[in-house]
Amino acid sequence: MYGILNTMIRPEPNNQEKILRESDFIVSKTDPKGIITYGNQIFIEYSGYSESELLGAPHNILRHPDMPALVFKLLWDTIKQGREIFAFVKNLSKDGSFYWVFAHVTPSYSLDGRLSGYYSVRRKPKDGAVSAVVPIYSQLLKLEKEHGRSRGMQLGSELLDRTLSEAGMEYDEFVLRLQNQ
Amino acid sequence: MTNLCLGCRINKILVLVLAVLVLGLALTNVLALKVVLAVAGLLVAGVLYSRILNLCHEIHVLDDLCAKVGDGDCSGRITRIRPNSELSRVSDNFNRALDQMETFFRESRAAFEACSQRKYYRFCITQGMHGNFKDGLEHLNQSLNSMATSNEFMLRNEFLTALAGMNSEAMQGDLEDTVSDSQAILQCVQEIVHETEKMGAVVSSNREKVEFSKVRIHEVQEQGAASNKAISELQELSSEILSHAKGIQSIAEQTNLLALNAHIEAARAGKHGRSFAVVANAIRELSDEVHRLSEKTMQNLNRLAKQGELVEGSAKIMLSEIDNIQEVMSEVLEASTHTQRAVQVTMNGIRTVKSQAETTEKRAQWIKLKQTAFLAFNHGHDSQEALMFKTAHSGFNDKEFRLLQQAVMRMDENFRQDREQQMEILNIMQNMGGTGSKSFLELDQNFKVGRVGEHVKSQGLLKAVS
């Protein structure tokens, strides 16, 4: 109970960055509603929360205010359709610092075929990839702040579609090619 | 007993403390101290007991998880283990192993699914994987790579086969047209040859006739010249006669004058001159008669001369006309020589065209046969169409035909998979209406980068074609 209460206070972001190690990845599991059911030691280390604080907390406690809502909408829309998704995400630590991850989320199913939750692996993103997505994200965020969340996300979605069609790729290919360039 | 964890050390200390307390309890005789030692011992024993219970519980949790992993379920993890407890390191390491395993399975599954959807950019991500798991994913990536290559190759083959099939159907129609066109051309050429030959014969016969006429006209010309000469001679003769007639007339006039003088002399002689006067009178009458006759002759000769002039004039005109006719006939002859040569050249040309048309027709027939074979075998090596073709051409054992058969067999293998994709390509091809090289190159390019699905669906390609 203490842990959940502790995670309800959103930390104040500062500009300190933590860089993920190349050989590690963060692993976490959630239930179908996004409530954390497992986090590995790397997750505990980078998020700054203890295991007891993380378990039972919603995954969005890590959401950084610099992240546009559209990215998480896209993420949830995709995984709810049973598909995997890749995304570059800026996460907020308990101490207010941030760390960029290249997140991969896949749905989990129980043996009887029911959705049992989601599985997320977060790796160190390529430097070039982060500098490519930062201007896109800030444009999306600006739209959401200027036009309100719902209208802003709609305009942001159109902007994203244009960016992708200019690149001649679908979203998946776009982000994977950024990470593997 | 190296590198003990904190929990184990606590347990060790607790056991030692308990042992000391029990020993103290055994050795002391002071009741108060015994009570204190007993209470302390019970407390330590209680703490130990609780720790052992917790440990047992955690071991059971771990055991359950091991059993699940043994059953092939890697989704479980150990959580809420007491920090720094005996099993915290075990569970951390076990969780780490499970993370590696589960990520391995998810990565491999996702990458193979993507590969089957031709998303070749999605391979297994090895970043963060360790040891055998990393090696395993790298090996899978190699397999995925070769799968992608062979898929591309297969797609290319299917595409080319579909293209060839469509081309063949169109070509079959074209060939039929070509064959019938060639036949029509041949027929026309034969008619032309026939007509040209006839024309050549007519030209030759006309030439002979003209030559004959030329000889005849020459004869006429000679005769005309002879007549002309005769007329000239006649005119000369008549002018000579005319001068003679004039001479006679002057003699008649002189005779008349003489007769008049004689008559005068006879009258002067009187009687003796009477008979002479009769003679003189008769001479005068005779000379008058001569004068009158010569006058008439002169008149006749003048008329004759005039007629002769007329005849000479028309003979000259006739001769000059004959000259003109001869000139025209020479021109006609020359022209007919040209015509004859032209007919000869035309005949040679037409004969060449005829033999070319025959060759073309044979060639078209041959290509048509090959196309029929291709279309028949395109339905499958053992299809009804192929069997029908084999029966119809059982004596056919050409090298190209065997090559064709081999190609068709290879095609059969490539045709087994991915009907849907194939249909999509065919639809596109049909929508395109033709097979422009530009669109072909674009499609080809898309096969190479493995983005067929999207591009086939996108209207952009169709726009590029139209």
Side-chain angles (χ1 to χ4, degrees):
Chain A
M1 203 57 208
Y2 164 76
I4 292 166
L5 282 175
N6 208 8
T7 55
M8 284 171 76
I9 304 150
R10 199 43 76 84
E12 192 60 37
N14 57 47
N15 263 336
Q16 282 198 316
E17 183 175 10
K18 287 187 275 192
I19 309 280
L20 250 69
R21 289 180 292 272
E22 181 71 33
S23 60
D24 283 334
F25 50 50
I26 292 170
V27 179
S28 64
K29 284 168 168 270
T30 71
D31 70 5
K33 287 177 179 167
I35 303 298
I36 299 169
T37 55
Y38 167 72
N40 69 349
Q41 285 301 315
I42 315 293
F43 188 28
I44 289 162
E45 179 189 340
Y46 278 86
S47 68
Y49 295 100
S50 68
E51 189 194 36
S52 57
E53 282 173 325
L54 288 173
L55 298 180
H59 213 287
N60 64 16
I61 56 162
L62 304 161
R63 193 173 289 191
H64 197 283
D66 289 352
M67 281 301 290
L70 180 70
V71 175
F72 297 104
K73 184 183 184 295
L74 182 69
L75 188 144
W76 278 102
D77 286 350
T78 308
I79 57 177
K80 277 180 182 167
Q81 287 169 20
R83 294 190 289 131
E84 64 171 354
I85 191 163
F86 289 95
F88 294 97
V89 179
K90 187 178 188 177
N91 278 339
L92 181 64
S93 294
K94 189 183 178 186
D95 61 4
S97 61
F98 68 89
Y99 58 100
W100 275 97
V101 296
F102 179 57
H104 176 222
V105 188
T106 44
S108 306
Y109 298 96
S110 56
L111 289 176
D112 56 10
R114 277 184 302 112
L115 180 76
S116 59
Y118 300 103
Y119 182 83
S120 167
V121 177
R122 297 189 285 286
R123 300 174 172 88
K124 180 178 186 279
K126 287 277 186 313
D127 294 343
V130 172
S131 49
V133 294
V134 162
I136 301 174
Y137 283 2
S138 61
Q139 272 178 289
L140 295 176
L141 194 70
K142 199 178 154 208
L143 285 173
E144 284 166 21
K145 278 181 179 163
E146 280 174 7
H147 299 273
R149 206 175 122 93
S150 133
R151 174 82 184 130
M153 280 209 292
Q154 194 189 337
L155 291 171
S157 174
E158 286 161 14
L159 176 74
L160 192 63
D161 284 348
R162 276 200 301 279
T163 311
L164 291 173
S165 82
E166 272 168 32
M169 290 179 240
E170 283 183 10
Y171 174 80
D172 278 1
E173 189 178 357
F174 183 74
V175 287
L176 273 170
R177 285 195 194 278
L178 273 179
Q179 176 69 359
N180 297 322
Q181 64 195 340
Chain B
M1 291 290 276
T2 53
N3 203 13
L4 281 178
C5 71
L6 186 64
C8 289
R9 272 186 228 148
I10 292 167
N11 290 348
K12 203 174 167 184
I13 291 163
L14 285 175
V15 171
L16 279 175
V17 169
L18 190 61
V20 168
L21 288 174
V22 170
L23 198 66
L25 197 64
L27 291 177
T28 187
N29 288 322
V30 182
L31 186 66
L33 193 60
K34 272 192 174 192
V35 171
V36 170
L37 285 174
V39 170
L42 278 173
L43 275 172
V44 171
V47 171
L48 255 176
Y49 177 70
S50 137
R51 287 182 68 84
I52 288 166
L53 275 186
N54 270 330
L55 186 61
C56 281
H57 170 73
E58 285 169 1
I59 287 174
H60 280 299
V61 170
L62 196 59
D63 182 46
D64 285 348
L65 191 63
C66 284
K68 272 174 85 176
V69 174
D71 289 339
D73 180 1
C74 301
S75 66
R77 298 289 188 276
I78 311 165
T79 53
R80 300 182 199 281
I81 296 286
R82 292 162 299 138
N84 299 319
S85 74
E86 302 84 346
L87 286 180
S88 66
R89 278 199 304 181
V90 174
S91 60
D92 281 350
N93 284 329
F94 199 49
N95 281 345
R96 228 155 61 87
L98 286 172
D99 286 346
Q100 292 277 320
M101 279 163 76
E102 192 168 357
T103 309
F104 179 92
F105 292 131
R106 282 177 189 265
E107 270 303 307
S108 52
R109 184 179 167 169
F112 274 90
E113 265 179 19
C115 183
S116 70
Q117 291 160 13
R118 306 191 193 291
K119 294 176 179 170
Y120 301 127
Y121 52 83
R122 169 70 170 107
F123 43 81
C124 303
I125 302 170
T126 56
Q127 192 186 348
M129 300 298 288
H130 301 141
N132 288 340
F133 294 109
K134 190 170 186 163
D135 285 352
L137 285 187
E138 276 164 1
H139 274 96
L140 287 181
N141 276 341
Q142 284 173 11
S143 312
L144 283 169
N145 209 12
S146 53
M147 265 172 74
T149 313
S150 63
N151 272 352
E152 267 172 47
F153 190 70
M154 212 168 80
L155 265 179
R156 264 177 77 86
N157 277 354
E158 281 170 14
F159 170 65
L160 289 175
T161 309
L163 187 70
M166 285 187 68
N167 254 352
S168 298
E169 276 163 33
M171 199 190 271
Q172 185 76 353
D174 289 349
L175 278 170
E176 271 162 26
D177 290 349
T178 307
V179 168
S180 73
D181 285 354
S182 296
Q183 282 166 347
I185 289 169
L186 252 177
Q187 205 176 335
C188 283
V189 168
Q190 269 160 351
E191 277 169 23
I192 291 169
V193 168
H194 185 65
E195 287 304 315
T196 314
E197 276 170 354
K198 262 163 70 180
M199 195 171 88
V202 168
V203 167
S204 294
S205 124
N206 282 350
R207 201 181 145 80
E208 278 166 21
K209 281 176 191 162
V210 170
E211 292 274 12
F212 181 70
S213 305
K214 206 180 163 189
V215 172
R216 293 292 300 274
I217 282 169
H218 191 68
E219 282 170 12
V220 171
Q221 192 188 23
E222 276 175 1
Q223 279 180 3
S227 309
N228 217 9
K229 204 181 165 193
I231 286 165
S232 293
E233 279 172 14
L234 197 68
Q235 269 181 325
E236 268 172 39
L237 203 64
S238 71
S239 74
E240 209 181 310
I241 292 169
L242 191 67
S243 75
H244 286 309
K246 274 179 183 167
I248 288 167
Q249 207 172 27
S250 115
I251 287 169
E253 278 168 7
Q254 281 173 9
T255 306
N256 200 5
L257 199 61
L258 205 63
L260 191 65
N261 285 339
H263 199 268
I264 292 164
E265 289 303 319
R268 206 179 286 167
K271 203 179 168 184
H272 295 294
R274 187 170 277 198
S275 60
F276 195 69
V278 172
V279 172
N281 207 29
I283 286 170
R284 195 181 46 89
E285 280 174 8
L286 197 65
S287 76
D288 279 348
E289 185 64 23
V290 167
H291 189 264
R292 197 176 48 82
L293 280 174
S294 68
E295 186 69 39
K296 198 155 188 187
T297 303
M298 274 171 72
Q299 278 174 5
N300 282 340
L301 280 171
N302 277 334
R303 268 172 60 199
L304 186 72
K306 269 187 194 143
Q307 287 295 328
E309 274 167 23
L310 278 175
V311 169
E312 198 184 18
S314 42
K316 274 181 185 158
I317 289 169
M318 193 180 85
L319 278 175
S320 91
E321 282 302 314
I322 285 173
D323 278 348
N324 284 343
I325 288 169
Q326 269 185 323
E327 217 171 287
V328 169
M329 285 185 92
S330 295
E331 281 168 13
V332 168
L333 265 177
E334 206 180 326
S336 85
T337 309
H338 283 304
T339 309
Q340 214 173 15
R341 211 176 298 143
V343 166
Q344 196 56 45
V345 171
T346 310
M347 285 289 291
N348 287 345
I350 286 170
R351 284 202 187 99
T352 313
V353 170
K354 192 184 155 201
S355 94
Q356 296 271 19
E358 279 167 353
T359 317
T360 306
E361 197 219 333
K362 285 206 181 77
R363 197 175 292 146
Q365 292 274 22
W366 165 235
I367 295 171
K368 191 182 150 190
L369 179 75
K370 286 196 286 183
Q371 283 302 316
T372 315
F374 182 84
L375 280 175
F377 284 92
N378 206 7
H379 285 100
H381 200 62
D382 294 318
S383 67
Q384 206 176 345
E385 287 86 349
L387 290 175
M388 271 167 68
F389 183 83
K390 277 194 256 188
T391 317
H393 302 276
S394 51
F396 202 76
N397 210 9
D398 190 82
K399 188 185 164 197
E400 283 187 63
F401 180 56
R402 275 193 309 250
L403 286 175
L404 193 71
Q405 278 183 314
Q406 283 166 13
V408 168
M409 276 166 77
R410 277 201 302 278
M411 214 157 59
D412 283 350
E413 288 165 24
N414 294 334
F415 248 90
R416 275 178 299 163
Q417 289 183 350
D418 242 335
R419 284 275 158 205
E420 204 177 317
Q421 184 85 36
Q422 201 179 313
M423 290 312 293
E424 235 171 3
I425 294 168
L426 283 172
N427 280 340
I428 288 284
M429 307 289 301
Q430 270 148 12
N431 285 341
M432 289 199 301
T435 49
S437 61
K438 190 183 170 193
S439 56
F440 172 81
L441 286 176
E442 274 185 36
L443 265 182
D444 199 36
Q445 192 60 33
N446 293 334
F447 278 116
K448 274 183 195 147
V449 297
R451 278 195 267 128
V452 186
E454 304 136 57
H455 284 266
V456 161
K457 276 170 205 147
S458 79
Q459 290 299 303
L461 182 67
L462 293 177
K463 249 186 270 165
V465 176
S466 58

